[in-house]
Amino acid sequence: MSELPDETSDPARMCEEARSLAENGEAGRAALLFEKVLGMGETPCRAQAALGLAVVLDDAGEVERAREADRAAIATADPEYGPRAAYHLALTYERAGEPEAAVPAWGAVVDFGNPAYLPPAHLALARIADDAGDFDAARDHWESAIGTGDAEYGPLAAHDLAQRLLERGDPARAQRILAAGLRLIDRDAAPYAYARLAVALGISYLDQAIGAFGAALAAEPSDPEAGPLATELLARTLPLRGRGAEAGEVWRRGLGDPGIAPQVRARLRRDFAEDDDGLWWEPVVEQAVSDGTLPALAGEAFGALDHMYSLLAVRYAEGRGDETHELLGGAVRVPDGYPWGPLLHESFAERLRLAMGGPDA
């Protein structure tokens, strides 16, 4: 075992040896050596030794002592080890679930101005301010993180800021922020990060379109040419942003406007079969389309059909050779001409086999 150097030793060599000891699992001896360097006063290696001691103590679970060492390194104002110590200090608070306590440390990182540590510091400060409800402060830090041009933290900041801008009804600015974030990403190297921002950019355009379509419908009375089109576009776009209830209200408003109601109804029914006019279920389907509940209606209709078909098919399977049997056979064959008919037949056949205890297929 090598002896610890005395106070007359070279502090740079002592720091190097302490680092080697720490890497080899001798944290206690490394800590003693770093402390010896600190005891030598204002040497050029003081900041390095303080940071080294902070890391060793933190790894050993002595967090408070580690923080004291970090503060000693920060106090030296060393341009390299000072910001690294401030970064480490901030992380100890973040890890402990105390982000507010980390603010001064992150602020120290920013004050040092070392470009290697600015992006994560600005992003952390932005998120802390955002959690505290201070949008203006958060926006400044997000914009600063983007401005660093960092390919890792810049896009994250762009995404966070864009989300807040969209929530605040500012899709145009969100687009500019997202475009700046996308320029920082190597699409081939980080395809998921690129996709995340690209989707957010698309959402911002949707929000901008919703605002434009809504503005087109603000006129009283509605424009007979633009009104029906704007009604349809707005009603069909809103559900894409999870605003289905609003879409139903847009349809109802259009259908209730005498000046544009016929054209709005024609657009609402654009996917209806042309020969279905006047059938009893049309109002039900029209209402479901305008309310955004068509999938639920289809599920209900298929469920009712499946139940009725099962009742008819069981009777038909009994094989009675009379007129009633023929009628049942005709009813059972009705689904044959529809694309979903074979699925209904297969489902019933399987349920019948299971009910009768038949052999496995």
Side-chain angles (χ1 to χ4, degrees):
M1 179 184 297
S2 62
E3 295 296 327
L4 292 177
D6 59 31
E7 288 79 352
T8 62
S9 300
D10 176 18
R13 188 176 67 81
M14 292 168 67
C15 284
E16 182 61 27
E17 184 169 348
R19 185 186 62 81
S20 179
L21 287 169
E23 291 176 352
N24 289 319
E26 297 187 61
R29 298 187 71 238
L32 289 173
L33 200 48
F34 281 132
E35 287 176 333
K36 272 186 169 290
V37 176
L38 290 176
M40 298 170 68
E42 300 297 328
T43 69
C45 298
R46 182 173 178 80
Q48 180 183 358
L51 175 58
L53 178 60
V55 172
V56 170
L57 291 173
D58 188 27
D59 289 343
E62 297 187 58
V63 180
E64 287 305 322
R65 289 185 61 200
R67 289 171 178 167
E68 291 176 6
D70 277 326
R71 293 188 182 97
I74 295 169
T76 67
D78 185 273
E80 174 59 27
Y81 293 102
R84 288 173 60 179
Y87 181 87
H88 181 264
L89 177 60
L91 291 183
T92 68
Y93 285 113
E94 294 276 5
R95 191 175 63 234
E98 302 176 64
E100 288 294 337
V103 170
W106 286 126
V109 174
V110 172
D111 291 341
F112 273 107
N114 187 315
Y117 302 98
L118 282 176
H122 279 302
L123 182 60
L125 287 168
R127 290 178 172 175
I128 293 170
D130 182 50
D131 289 341
D134 189 346
F135 172 73
D136 290 337
R139 179 190 57 207
D140 290 344
H141 284 296
W142 275 321
E143 291 178 343
S144 294
I146 298 167
T148 66
D150 187 84
E152 179 181 359
Y153 294 98
L156 294 174
H159 184 272
D160 288 352
L161 177 53
Q163 288 294 105
R164 290 294 176 263
L165 290 169
L166 290 175
E167 292 169 6
R168 298 169 73 88
D170 193 352
R173 188 168 186 180
Q175 289 164 20
R176 293 194 294 272
I177 292 297
L178 290 165
L182 284 169
R183 288 194 292 270
L184 301 178
I185 301 175
D186 182 335
R187 187 173 184 176
D188 294 329
Y192 296 150
Y194 190 92
R196 192 177 183 216
L197 286 194
V199 168
L201 181 60
I203 289 172
S204 72
Y205 281 112
L206 283 177
D207 281 2
Q208 192 171 41
I210 287 171
F213 299 147
L217 292 174
E220 293 289 349
S222 299
D223 185 316
E225 292 187 15
L229 176 59
T231 296
E232 180 184 13
L233 291 173
L234 180 58
R236 296 191 187 279
T237 304
L238 282 167
L240 297 176
R241 295 293 283 127
R243 298 164 64 179
E246 295 177 55
E249 180 57 34
V250 170
W251 282 123
R252 284 189 288 275
R253 193 163 59 246
L255 292 170
D257 185 336
I260 62 173
Q263 299 96 319
V264 170
R265 177 164 279 106
R267 289 178 176 279
L268 176 64
R269 297 165 56 90
R270 65 167 63 249
D271 296 325
F272 287 34
E274 293 182 2
D275 58 355
D276 282 353
D277 188 44
L279 298 177
W280 67 264
W281 58 78
E282 281 201 347
V284 179
V285 175
E286 182 177 301
Q287 183 68 41
V289 172
S290 66
D291 291 343
T293 58
L294 188 59
L297 176 64
E300 292 172 357
F302 275 112
L305 174 63
D306 182 72
H307 182 65
M308 290 187 291
Y309 181 86
S310 296
L311 295 175
L312 293 170
V314 167
R315 290 297 183 187
Y316 180 66
E318 293 175 352
R320 295 168 52 189
D322 56 17
E323 183 177 352
T324 300
H325 184 259
E326 292 182 9
L327 289 173
L328 289 173
V332 169
R333 286 189 291 273
V334 166
D336 291 354
Y338 295 91
W340 43 264
L343 297 175
L344 179 59
H345 293 319
E346 291 173 11
S347 174
F348 172 74
E350 176 63 12
R351 281 180 288 156
L352 183 63
R353 182 188 67 76
L354 294 174
M356 298 181 67
D360 293 337

